[in-house]
Amino acid sequence: MTGPAERLELLTRAGCHLCVTAAETLGRIAAEAGVGTREVDVDADPELQAEYGDRVPVVLLDGREHSYFTVDVPRLRRDLGIG
């Protein structure tokens, strides 16, 4: 049995306090929407590090950038069909 589809990705890095807050928020919204999430450390991938630099956290919805620095909760809820 597989879990919910991982529609949400959170690009993070170690020591990022905004990333911790974004992960908590994203987890709540994902649970409500019944979708999966995964966190990706931008520093583990040179391409991601070059693209996003210090602009983390970044929320990706279905592989496309949705918001950065903070989770745009009203927009994300709307785009997931729960708001």
Side-chain angles (χ1 to χ4, degrees), residues 30 36 39 41-42 47 55 57 64 73 75 82:
E39 291 187 29
D41 183 349
V42 296
E47 288 183 24
R55 192 171 54 96
R64 300 179 72 151
V73 173
R75 181 174 167 229
I82 59 171

Side-chain angles (χ1 to χ4, degrees), residues 23-65:
E24 292 168 354
T25 302
L26 204 60
R28 284 193 309 271
I29 294 170
E32 186 178 342
V35 300
T37 64
R38 74 181 189 115
E39 291 187 29
V40 177
D41 183 349
V42 296
D43 294 326
D45 182 327
E47 288 183 24
L48 290 177
Q49 188 177 35
E51 182 174 350
Y52 293 101
D54 290 331
R55 192 171 54 96
V56 292
V58 177
V59 175
L60 303 178
L61 174 60
D62 297 327
R64 300 179 72 151
E65 187 173 320

Side-chain angles (χ1 to χ4, degrees), residues 2-23:
T2 60
E6 289 181 344
R7 295 187 60 198
L8 293 167
E9 288 181 284
L10 181 63
L11 305 182
T12 67
R13 75 168 23 101
C16 169
H17 71 282
L18 291 175
C19 298
V20 172
T21 302

